Amino acid sequence: MSDEGFTDRVIDGVNGLDGTAHRKAVALGVGAPALRDGLQMPSSRMVLMPALAALWAAGLGMEKPGWSRLARQGLMAIALGTVAGKGIKRVVCRARPNQGRDPSRWGKADGKHASFPSGHAINVSALTMAVGLNRGLSPATMVSLGFAAAVGWSSLATERHWASDYAAGMATGVLAGLAAKALDGWAEDRLS
C-alpha cells in the first residue's frame, strides 16, 4: 500500500468515527439541553483567564505560592495553546459540523473559524494539565478531568466540533501545559 493510500484510509477512518460520535452526542444532547449548552461559556478563555488571574492574585495576597504557581502555569498554558491552535486552524481549515454535517470537509472553512483543533479543548486540557502537574492525583485534578470530558461532549452535542477536533485540541492543550510548566520552572530558577 502506498503512503497516499494509507493516509486516505486513516482519514476515512477518522471521518467515520467523527460521524458516529457526532450522531450519538447530538442525540444525547437533545435530552439535556441546559447541560449541553451551558458548558461552552465556562470553558472559554473569557472565563478561565480572569479566574486564573484572580487565583494568582489571591495566591500572592494570601502568601499561597502553590496557588500562584498553578494560576501562572494555567494562564501561560492557555495562551501558548491558543497561539498554537489558531495557527493550526489557519492551516487545516476544517469545516464545523454545523456547516454541513460532513466530517470529510477538510480545507473547506475560513481558517479563523475552523473546527480543527477545538479551542475549548485546548483551554480545558491546558487548565487540567496545570492542575494535575501542581496538585497530582487530587480531587481538584479529578474535577478538572471531568469538566474537560463534559466540555468535550458539549462541543460535539452543540455541533461545534468533531471528536477528532476535540482530541487534537486536548493534545495541543496537554503539550501547552507541559511547556508552561517547563517555562515557569525555568523562570523561577532564574529569579530566585
Side-chain angles (χ1 to χ4, degrees), residues 52-175:
L52 286 167
L55 179 62
W56 190 356
L60 291 172
M62 299 172 66
E63 296 183 14
K64 301 259 187 192
W67 291 8
S68 294
R69 186 177 311 107
L70 187 155
R72 263 192 333 265
Q73 290 174 12
L75 283 165
M76 194 179 328
I78 291 171
L80 290 169
T82 297
V83 169
K86 289 194 178 291
I88 296 166
K89 281 180 185 284
R90 291 193 183 273
V91 170
V92 175
C93 297
R94 188 181 197 191
R96 294 178 181 270
N98 60 11
Q99 296 172 324
R101 291 185 175 82
D102 179 4
S104 65
R105 294 186 65 214
W106 297 86
K108 305 281 187 198
D110 166 5
K112 185 177 179 183
H113 298 100
S115 184
F116 185 95
S118 164
H120 284 79
I122 291 170
N123 298 340
V124 296
S125 63
L127 175 63
T128 298
M129 282 303 292
V131 173
L133 291 170
N134 284 279
R135 297 288 185 235
L137 195 58
S138 67
T141 303
M142 294 298 106
V143 167
S144 196
L145 284 167
F147 180 59
V151 170
W153 167 76
S154 172
S155 291
L156 270 63
T158 56
E159 299 190 80
R160 286 179 170 90
H161 290 288
W162 302 103
S164 58
D165 300 339
Y166 203 77
M170 294 291 285
T172 304
V174 165
L175 293 173

Side-chain angles (χ1 to χ4, degrees), residues 2-4 16 18 20-21 30 33 38-39 42 49 53 65 72 74 81 92 108 138 145 148 155 168 171 183 188:
S2 70
D3 289 344
E4 190 175 301
D18 279 341
T20 300
V30 170
L39 289 169
M49 292 187 89
R72 263 192 333 265
V92 175
K108 305 281 187 198
S138 67
L145 284 167
S155 291
L183 288 169
E188 275 190 342

